[in-house]
Amino acid sequence: MTTFVMYAAAIISVAIVIFMLIKKMDIKITLFLMGIVLMFVGCALGNPLGGEDFVSTGSVFLDPLKVIADQFKSTISSAGFIILILGGYSAYMSAINANSVTVNVLTKPIAKIKSVYILVPIVFLLGNLLSLVIPSASNLAVILLATLYPILIKAGMSSLTAAGIIATTATIVPTPLGSDNVAIAAELANTTEFAGLTATDYVFKYHAIVSIPTLLIMAAIHFFWQKRCDKKAGVIESKAVESKDIEEIKGGLLYKTVYAILPLLPIILLIGSFAVQKITGAQIDISVEVATLFSFIIAIICEIIRKRNAGETLKETEAFFKGMGGSMPIVALLVAGTVFVTGLKSIGLITALQSAMTGLSGGGLGFVLPLILVALTALIVLLSGSGTALFFAMVPLMVPLAVAAGISPLAVSIPMGLAGNLLRAVSPVSAVVMIVAGSVKREPLEIVKRTSVPMIAGTVVMFVLSMVIFL
């Protein structure tokens, strides 16, 4: 009877979460509520609540709330703090117009390239580079539609080819500034094998050796697929497209150079320190938060020099702290996912899953767990347009399930994280696809036709690479 209740509660709670994802309702509150309900179910079954180290309030009705409070304190003091700092820096870069300078400087040379199809892989890779500065796929698409899209059309590129590229620009570029990479690195750092692992180490040692080859292969596939689609369609152009004129950034060469670098400065510092460590063996430990705060100080100094008004500059720094507040929903999502997993642990499901995964260990079937998780990610992303919530909800489960299956946690975290980002552009209901489709006056399915082959091929490539390298 206990087993039946456990599986019934788990199936119902997961079904509710999936339903809420598909309906695009607020998934954070759903995860919190389902986690609390599952904890109460676990208590009714006689199971401990909140893990071995949990200290009860003395009231079973208040204990789930203490689990949430404890998890918030734990998360904000580690991965959550980094996410908040990154959100603040990104907001400040927008406030001082540095993001616009970076986009302008990087996209302007494209107008000089005459071959339309040579532009396809170049724009795809450039867009992925820009996602370091503007991590939101939707926001990046809006900016590229306003600035880069007119250039591509004037160069003779078909509207659907340009739209297909822009819809796939924010994918899997390796960056320690990504909240998903920060979260999984923090989880891996708690294990003996990866003790002390930083987001920088995770990205450059493991993530990059899968994501970079995958990006290059996708760029090549984009080239052939868009060319084939254009040929089949006869490249019939729709000129009734509303696009803004390219914003001309005013200022001298020094201003444009410095402000184009500022949004990328944290990643430049992290890559530089990582390279120095590898080349010289020197122990230069620059964390993501230290690199970001240092870059923030440099940006403030640059603004004071440019405006020659310290009071106004310091007043503008308020954008940094507002940006931190704007990133709080990401932290809350990470906490909500952990609370939901705590609920699953309370009813005994995680132990049952670990036992099931143990049966795969040594049987040559280690790829089954990553394959199941990637397939689940694909299903949720295609139906809901986003895999972020699922990924963050799965972060606390990746290590224990991988250990039970006898495989490296990297064989789970990397393909699952990359799959969600890749397949987003294949969902006709995703925000980025709908924004692009609306801007170029096309149906979402027409955009998906242009994005599907490169993105699905990229998913297959990255999964195979992950299994070959990490399994």
Side-chain angles (χ1 to χ4, degrees), residues 350-384:
I350 304 305
T351 302
L353 287 175
Q354 287 176 310
S355 298
M357 288 299 109
T358 303
L360 300 176
S361 181
L365 297 175
F367 69 92
V368 172
L369 173 61
L371 184 61
I372 291 173
L373 294 179
V374 167
L376 178 61
T377 301
L379 177 64
I380 296 299
V381 172
L382 292 176
L383 292 175
S384 69

Side-chain angles (χ1 to χ4, degrees), residues 274-339:
F274 183 80
V276 169
Q277 286 185 59
K278 291 300 176 185
I279 295 172
T280 67
Q283 292 301 312
I284 303 176
D285 185 17
I286 300 180
S287 63
V288 173
E289 55 267 44
V290 169
T292 306
L293 289 173
F294 178 80
S295 301
F296 179 46
I297 293 171
I298 296 298
I300 293 173
I301 294 172
C302 291
E303 276 290 275
I304 291 175
I305 294 172
R306 181 171 75 95
K307 292 187 174 181
R308 297 178 183 177
N309 187 329
E312 183 184 345
T313 298
L314 294 178
K315 186 177 180 180
E316 282 185 343
T317 59
E318 183 69 15
F320 181 91
F321 303 104
K322 288 182 178 179
M324 289 182 69
S327 295
M328 193 60 199
I330 300 175
V331 178
L333 179 58
L334 184 57
V335 174
T338 305
V339 170

Side-chain angles (χ1 to χ4, degrees), residues 10 34 39 94 205 326 422 427:
M34 287 300 100
M39 286 183 223
S94 295
K205 287 183 179 178
L422 286 171
S427 171

Side-chain angles (χ1 to χ4, degrees), residues 383-416:
L383 292 175
S384 69
S386 174
T388 304
L390 177 66
F391 179 83
F392 281 113
M394 288 299 300
V395 165
L397 285 177
M398 291 181 183
V399 172
L401 290 182
V403 171
I407 61 176
S408 170
L410 296 170
V412 176
S413 66
I414 289 179
M416 188 174 177

